[in-house]
Amino acid sequence: MPVAIITGASRGLGRALAAALAGRGWDLVLDARTAVVLAETAGELSALGGRVVALPGDVTDAAHRKELVAAAQGLGGLDLLVSNASALGAEPLVRLEELMLDGLRQALEVNVVAALGLVQESLPLLRASESGTVIAVSSDAAVEAYETWGGYGASKAALDHLAAVLAAEEPELRVWAVDPGDMRTELYAAAVPGDESGRPEPETVVPAFLRLLDVRPASGRYAAPALLEAK
């Protein structure tokens, strides 16, 4: 069975994507910082049939990243790496004049540095796979200038560029930066408390990710809403 590592997998989009892959028979290595919630998620997904390894930890910790990749190797290799864990840099979001530099550093550390570190750690296994794939979960804030989203958007723009360069350097892999679009997640609620605009649940955009895995288009940046409309 194919094997995936998904970071930030205990809730939201990460959990929804993990559930969809488990339903397709994938074996999973799941990461999140909150051990109890991650264990609950892993228990539920294990019931779907695949093997699930839950490793709580912080993706900014190099030892934890090694642990994730070692777990994938223990399951037989690695076919898909999904960098979904994200940090806002400020909760709620603030204008740039108020953004604490330590907050910006945290966003860059989680969203960019840790994502690259995990790619570097995973490359030998991804290259050995017949379908080695990297998905970097991006945001429309990476390409649009929304007030208060400057620090987070800058980190996602940097992640997009790393993905694009990785695709050029690793032509045998598929490397997709994916903007999932609007979703009702804890991350968004922390960014914009009290927003009641009725955003869709993360499960609604998962079919876009599955379409990428099924069709395997060229490496590049994709928006989930456009993928869903194209079906």
Side-chain angles (χ1 to χ4, degrees):
M1 288 298 169
V3 179
I5 293 174
I6 304 176
T7 66
S10 62
R11 298 186 176 96
L13 176 60
R15 187 193 185 289
L17 180 57
L21 294 180
R24 288 182 163 205
W26 285 63
D27 294 327
L28 303 172
V29 178
L30 306 181
D31 150 272
R33 288 182 298 173
T34 308
V36 172
V37 180
L38 181 62
E40 291 174 354
T41 296
E44 293 172 5
L45 299 191
S46 295
L48 298 176
R51 295 175 293 175
V52 180
V53 178
L55 294 173
D58 189 330
V59 291
T60 65
D61 180 350
H64 177 57
R65 296 195 297 266
K66 287 182 179 290
E67 188 180 31
L68 293 170
V69 176
Q73 190 165 23
L75 292 176
L78 181 61
D79 304 287
L80 170 64
L81 169 63
V82 182
S83 286
N84 173 64
S86 297
L88 290 165
E91 299 181 9
L93 294 176
V94 296
R95 293 166 60 88
L96 287 176
E97 66 179 347
E98 304 172 56
L99 179 61
M100 300 293 291
L101 296 185
D102 282 347
L104 177 59
R105 290 190 185 95
Q106 182 199 26
L108 292 169
E109 189 70 30
V110 174
N111 303 347
V112 183
V113 178
L116 177 58
L118 194 50
V119 165
Q120 291 173 336
E121 194 70 37
S122 300
L123 272 177
L125 295 184
L126 290 169
R127 288 169 178 155
S129 168
E130 293 182 354
S131 57
T133 302
V134 176
I135 294 179
V137 177
S138 184
S139 166
D140 57 347
V143 295
E144 299 288 345
Y146 302 123
E147 289 187 17
T148 74
W149 289 83
Y152 178 79
S155 71
K156 289 296 184 179
L159 179 63
D160 280 6
H161 196 70
L162 284 185
V165 173
L166 180 66
E169 293 177 346
E170 301 287 341
E172 300 303 318
L173 303 183
R174 289 290 188 273
V175 184
W176 302 313
V178 182
D179 167 14
D182 291 340
M183 295 183 296
R184 189 182 307 169
T185 63
E186 290 194 1
L187 186 80
Y188 184 80
V192 189
D195 181 87
E196 297 180 355
S197 55
R199 290 166 183 269
E201 298 289 348
E203 287 77 5
T204 62
V205 303
V206 167
F209 287 80
L210 298 181
R211 178 174 171 78
L212 283 172
L213 293 171
D214 290 341
V215 178
R216 297 189 62 78
S219 297
R221 190 179 194 280
Y222 293 87
L227 289 167
L228 293 173
E229 290 175 1
K231 288 187 72 175

